[in-house]
Amino acid sequence: MKLKKLMSVLLAALMVAALAACGGTPASSASSEASSGSASSESASSEASSSEAASSSDSTIADLAANQDGPSNAAGIGLPDVSNVDLEALEAEIDELAAKVTTVSDGKLTIGTSADFAPYEFHILQDGQDMIVGFDIALAQAIADELGVELEVRDISFDSILMELNSGSIDLGLAGFSPTPERLEAVDMSLLYYTGGQSLMIKKADAEKFKSFEDFGAGTSVGAQTGSIQEGLAKENTPDASLVSLQTVPSVIMDLKTGKIDGAFIETAVAVGYVATQDDLMILCDVPYDSEGSSVAVKKGNEDMLNFVNAVITKVVANGSMDQFVAEANELQAQSIS
Ligand code: ARG
């Protein structure tokens, strides 16, 4: 039974990979990927030639960050270049960088997330206990482990995480943050640890009515999470539809299911999870976006933390842990809805 659910999630992911765009798309469509992405599939395609600085033993993490693997997005942020990483040297570098990091409360790494976003971060009941899991949380745990401190996860509303970060109440924001040029003005953002795409979801029953962005004319409505890049995608691609912003992704999905809105702009990996289990929903198309991928948000100017986080991301992408975090999160998600 559980396996069946997992298979349907995987199948849905495959189907999405074959999805067409909705038409009338901006020039950036080439950089978007419809499939639920993975760190290693990207890194596998990196050219070995671009990695010399990263692998030489006297390289610094700052070099490493500068020498990231493509595709870097609109904000100039890409996956780490892991084509030639010396894991032993990286390990030593991580220890060195960790020694410089201070956290907002002693002996703890406090992260802010919005746990409404499976498989990135979501609640499950395990042995009757509420837990927050997901591949962002697994990455946060890896970061805390490298620091040798306990992890504290704070579930707060998505649109307040970056403020909490800059006001000094949390150390990091991990919530599937797309590194946009606008956000980079307010906070620092790590290398990408995951790449994915953006989707427009509709109800299956409306498949005849909505075939492209143009079908979302006056009198229609679309939903997105408050403070997310999906709000911008809605305005850009369906400008005539009225935009309904809601605090959580499940409430956007609920509004779609109950017909309060006609479409929902949702991160593809998240959308795939919903269509795998909710028979009344479908992904209409891939939505082009040029700041694709997920970054960890760090307080503006906290270079020690940023360098350390980038080094840990490089490690978990290079050694395959990140792919494992994603696979485990997909499995937990499939189990939690079966
Ligand atoms: N990637 C999108 C953004 O950065 C959506 C992230 C939403 N995350 C969440 N945990 N609800 O705006």
Side-chain angles (χ1 to χ4, degrees):
M1 192 60 184
K2 282 171 181 173
L3 192 64
K4 234 173 107 188
K5 287 284 179 190
L6 181 61
M7 286 308 290
S8 63
V9 171
L10 293 176
L11 258 175
L14 278 176
M15 277 157 51
V16 170
L19 265 179
C22 258
T25 55
S28 57
S29 60
S31 67
S32 82
E33 291 142 47
S35 64
S36 57
S38 87
S40 76
S41 64
E42 274 301 325
S43 52
S45 66
S46 73
E47 315 103 66
S49 64
S50 64
S51 62
E52 267 103 64
S55 61
S56 76
S57 55
D58 59 351
S59 71
T60 64
I61 290 300
D63 290 338
L64 237 180
N67 192 16
Q68 59 201 356
D69 189 20
S72 41
N73 57 26
I77 288 181
L79 287 159
D81 182 351
V82 295
S83 50
N84 228 340
V85 166
D86 177 345
L87 280 174
E88 233 167 88
L90 182 58
E91 201 69 62
E93 199 126 28
I94 288 174
D95 288 346
E96 234 169 80
L97 291 166
K100 295 190 202 157
V101 167
T102 53
T103 56
V104 295
S105 5
D106 262 357
K108 250 196 228 173
L109 181 75
T110 312
I111 69 136
T113 194
S114 171
D116 62 347
F117 208 56
Y120 293 75
E121 46 262 337
F122 54 108
H123 287 264
I124 59 166
L125 267 185
Q126 206 160 62
D127 305 325
Q129 244 201 318
D130 175 56
M131 284 178 51
I132 299 176
V133 295
F135 61 78
D136 278 354
I137 309 304
L139 172 60
Q141 186 64 59
I143 296 170
D145 289 347
E146 294 287 357
L147 269 182
V149 297
E150 190 194 314
L151 175 68
E152 181 179 327
V153 178
R154 295 202 15 217
D155 189 11
I156 49 192
S157 75
F158 180 72
D159 62 340
S160 66
I161 298 172
L162 298 184
M163 280 181 302
E164 297 273 344
L165 186 61
N166 277 340
S167 74
S169 56
I170 54 176
D171 292 301
L172 301 172
L174 281 98
F177 278 113
S178 313
T180 64
E182 299 75 48
R183 283 182 183 153
L184 272 172
E185 280 172 25
V187 294
D188 288 336
M189 303 218 97
S190 74
L191 294 171
L192 302 185
Y193 55 86
Y194 183 78
T195 58
Q198 306 298 328
S199 291
L200 175 56
M201 295 179 74
I202 58 169
K203 272 200 301 200
K204 263 188 196 156
D206 287 341
E208 283 306 309
K209 207 163 142 197
F210 298 107
K211 295 199 144 94
S212 73
F213 292 139
E214 284 75 47
D215 296 329
F216 289 86
T220 66
S221 57
V222 293
Q225 183 171 36
T226 309
S228 71
I229 58 102
Q230 282 79 10
E231 289 183 316
L233 293 177
K235 286 182 198 147
E236 195 183 320
N237 294 293
T238 54
D240 297 331
S242 64
L243 171 61
V244 177
S245 293
L246 296 165
Q247 202 65 247
T248 70
V249 171
S251 30
V252 176
I253 295 293
M254 194 46 74
D255 269 21
L256 181 62
K257 285 169 79 77
T258 56
K260 284 194 186 144
I261 54 175
D262 301 303
F265 286 85
I266 305 283
E267 208 105 0
T268 298
V270 178
V272 163
Y274 281 110
V275 297
T277 53
Q278 322 255 325
D279 284 342
D280 52 337
L281 300 180
M282 62 179 272
I283 295 176
L284 176 59
C285 60
D286 174 51
V287 178
Y289 182 49
D290 55 13
S291 293
E292 215 59 274
S294 308
S295 284
V296 177
V298 177
K299 186 176 181 171
K300 187 96 195 149
N302 190 347
E303 242 175 76
D304 289 337
M305 184 64 100
L306 182 65
N307 289 338
F308 168 68
V309 168
N310 276 337
V312 177
I313 288 175
T314 303
K315 176 179 167 181
V316 296
V317 171
N319 71 10
S321 300
M322 194 62 225
D323 279 340
Q324 209 177 315
F325 298 160
V326 173
E328 280 163 11
N330 283 331
E331 203 164 324
L332 281 170
Q333 181 187 16
Q335 282 169 16
S336 76
I337 47 194
S338 62

